[in-house]
Amino acid sequence: MVITNKWYTKIKLMAKYLSTLFIVQPYEREDNIAFLSCGIALYLGRIVNHLEDMFYADPTTLEGYGAKVNMKHNVLKIDSKNKKIVVQNLKTEEIFEDTYDKLIMTTGSEVGIPPIGGMDNKRVLLCKSYEQAKKIYESALNYPSIAIVGAGYVGVELAESYANTVHDVTLIQSRDQILNNYVDKPLSDTIINKLKEHNVKVQLGERVSEIVDGDQLTIKTKAGHAYKADLVIVCTGFFANTDLLRGQVQMNGYGAIIINDYMQTSDPDIYAAGDSCVVKFNPTGEMKYIPLASSAVRQGTLAGINVFGDIRRYMGTQATTAMEIFGYTLAETGLTLKKALASGINADRVIYSDNYRPDYMPTTDLLTIYLVYDKDTRKVLGAQLFSKHEIAQSANAISICIQNENTIDDLAFVDMLFQPNYDNPFNYLNLVAQQAIAKEAKEKETKKA
């Protein structure tokens, strides 16, 4: 059994399943494993004191499970026809061959480098790996003004972290909203206002064309504008790191490896997991590229189980995520309304806004929920939640609804606890679904009239 380089959190669990019957040989080209890049913003914001705390596993732990861990070994070539790999020991520079019975590809993703002039400047940094995170941290100590290009999760979290550490922050986004893969525009506008309240300058509809060196860097856009900063961090997305298998297994248009329900590729002796492969996105049933640590750890465990046969089926994902921003929690799952409509679904949404618990309690906080549903089937398709109250677990509840193909009618009356410390007699998830039912009933009556 060979596992190729740059693996993530799933390896820790995978090794337990594999080491009892196989000789397990993971190859990793770096000197560290299982780095949780989603924790970089916590480190930059001084919430986590040590970047090393972001490692989910270590080679010694894996060796304790029986794996023969090969650190600083770069896999140069895979010959799937003959079940061989070519490896270079980066310490000795020796190149050698190894063979496998089953191969698991967990080669992860790489930061997408956009076609922007000046990307080779030393003050232009990327954000994903342990080494990149260290460089960002050390550089930011010396530079008061920072521009962030790209306003997905990484970009927004970095903007918050730097605003909290008294940096001058500019967030530059090519689209007309931020977090466009996760929230609809009204909620994007709400979060932008929170960023602006903390002096983050948000520039929308600005596609960067060039970064020019000088005492300060000048970030030029295709719209003809220019922004100044001492340091630029580019966060424009990721792509699957799958060149080793290109032309040997089926991939989608983005280079992500296509898998079946048992993590198996088009080659029956090769499995894939994590950012190197697609996921089954349950709200639409499509196989999509959505790189998330939560999917990676599940897929990796399943790959480790299913090399012994089709034992446990992959359930797919709702791409459920959450982030904290200036004391508020944003949590989301499934489809936004915009993406649902773009997928050809006859979708609609309701927006619920009220305090999360009774007004007679000493304190309470406003909670906003965007619930997206299919008007034809009434199935729940997605939700976005925003509040100072901790509502991340409510996104998990909606994720289960989507997974199980529950309707707004199911959600409206599903059993949920009531206790004034936590909610009202009808939980807010019941109430937003009841709001959707009422909207559909009103539309039906209007059509009759």
Side-chain angles (χ1 to χ4, degrees), residues 276-328:
S276 64
C277 67
V278 298
V279 298
K280 180 184 177 184
F281 187 54
N282 289 321
T284 62
E286 298 173 288
M287 301 301 285
K288 300 184 69 175
Y289 186 60
I290 307 175
L292 290 172
S294 53
S295 295
V297 71
R298 286 157 180 76
Q299 288 184 326
T301 303
L302 290 171
I305 293 171
N306 289 322
V307 290
F308 301 118
D310 294 348
I311 297 171
R312 186 176 294 276
R313 186 184 294 271
Y314 174 46
M315 296 174 69
T317 180
Q318 287 69 251
T320 308
T321 60
M323 68 183 297
E324 184 178 341
I325 180 163
F326 302 120
Y328 287 79

Side-chain angles (χ1 to χ4, degrees), residues 119-379:
M119 283 294 296
D120 57 346
N121 191 294
K122 291 182 179 179
R123 285 187 284 161
V124 178
L125 304 177
L126 304 175
C127 182
K128 180 176 173 63
S129 71
Y130 172 64
E131 292 299 328
Q132 289 168 348
K134 286 199 300 183
K135 190 177 292 186
I136 288 172
Y137 179 82
E138 292 162 1
S139 299
L141 294 175
N142 302 316
Y143 296 120
S145 66
I146 297 174
I148 300 165
V149 179
Y153 255 69
V154 176
V156 172
E157 287 180 324
L158 289 179
E160 187 223 20
S161 293
Y162 285 127
N164 285 335
T165 51
V166 203
H167 286 82
D168 180 59
V169 184
T170 302
L171 181 62
I172 303 171
Q173 170 74 331
S174 62
R175 299 177 183 268
D176 65 351
Q177 70 164 88
I178 64 173
L179 299 168
N180 51 282
N181 286 327
Y182 307 99
V183 305
D184 282 307
K185 194 171 186 305
L187 188 49
S188 165
D189 292 342
T190 298
I191 298 168
I192 287 172
N193 288 334
K194 298 299 176 189
L195 289 164
K196 289 180 176 179
E197 286 172 10
H198 290 79
N199 301 313
V200 176
K201 295 180 282 293
V202 181
Q203 310 294 344
L204 300 177
E206 293 278 38
R207 186 172 295 279
V208 175
S209 58
E210 185 181 12
I211 301 171
V212 180
D213 200 6
D215 290 338
Q216 281 193 306
L217 297 175
T218 301
I219 303 103
K220 295 184 177 181
T221 71
K222 291 186 176 180
H225 301 130
Y227 304 97
K228 297 282 188 178
D230 299 313
L231 186 71
V232 176
I233 304 174
V234 177
C235 312
T236 52
F238 308 106
F239 65 91
N241 178 24
T242 57
D243 285 347
L244 285 168
L245 279 179
R246 195 169 299 278
Q248 301 185 74
V249 298
Q250 291 181 0
M251 300 180 183
N252 71 2
Y254 297 96
I257 298 169
I258 296 172
I259 55 171
N260 64 15
D261 287 344
Y262 297 95
M263 314 310 301
Q264 194 174 40
T265 71
S266 55
D267 183 320
D269 291 319
I270 299 179
Y271 292 72
D275 290 8
S276 64
C277 67
V278 298
V279 298
K280 180 184 177 184
F281 187 54
N282 289 321
T284 62
E286 298 173 288
M287 301 301 285
K288 300 184 69 175
Y289 186 60
I290 307 175
L292 290 172
S294 53
S295 295
V297 71
R298 286 157 180 76
Q299 288 184 326
T301 303
L302 290 171
I305 293 171
N306 289 322
V307 290
F308 301 118
D310 294 348
I311 297 171
R312 186 176 294 276
R313 186 184 294 271
Y314 174 46
M315 296 174 69
T317 180
Q318 287 69 251
T320 308
T321 60
M323 68 183 297
E324 184 178 341
I325 180 163
F326 302 120
Y328 287 79
T329 295
L330 165 68
E332 64 83 31
T333 186
L335 287 165
T336 63
L337 178 60
K338 183 176 181 179
K339 288 189 175 294
L341 294 173
S343 297
I345 300 172
N346 182 24
D348 203 352
R349 75 167 175 233
V350 288
I351 303 173
Y352 172 88
S353 187
D354 203 350
N355 290 328
Y356 78 93
R357 65 180 186 177
D359 292 339
Y360 57 72
M361 295 300 289
T363 62
T364 188
D365 283 308
L366 186 66
L367 165 68
T368 301
I369 306 174
Y370 292 69
L371 183 70
V372 182
Y373 60 94
D374 187 321
K375 292 172 66 66
D376 298 328
T377 66
R378 299 171 75 89
K379 288 179 183 178

Side-chain angles (χ1 to χ4, degrees), residues 401-422:
C401 287
I402 300 170
Q403 177 83 57
N404 294 335
E405 299 186 347
N406 292 132
T407 65
I408 54 176
D409 308 281
D410 297 326
L411 181 58
F413 290 95
V414 69
D415 180 39
M416 293 189 176
L417 68 85
F418 163 57
Q419 212 287 335
N421 280 297
Y422 308 110

Side-chain angles (χ1 to χ4, degrees), residues 93-128:
E93 298 187 356
E94 174 195 5
I95 296 176
F96 60 93
E97 283 190 353
D98 198 356
T99 60
Y100 65 86
D101 297 305
K102 301 287 184 180
L103 177 72
I104 300 178
M105 287 291 289
T106 56
T107 43
S109 59
E110 299 283 354
V111 179
I113 300 177
I116 295 173
M119 283 294 296
D120 57 346
N121 191 294
K122 291 182 179 179
R123 285 187 284 161
V124 178
L125 304 177
L126 304 175
C127 182
K128 180 176 173 63

Side-chain angles (χ1 to χ4, degrees), residues 381-392:
L381 297 175
Q384 304 148 49
L385 303 94
F386 190 71
S387 179
K388 283 186 176 180
H389 176 57
E390 198 290 298
I391 39 75

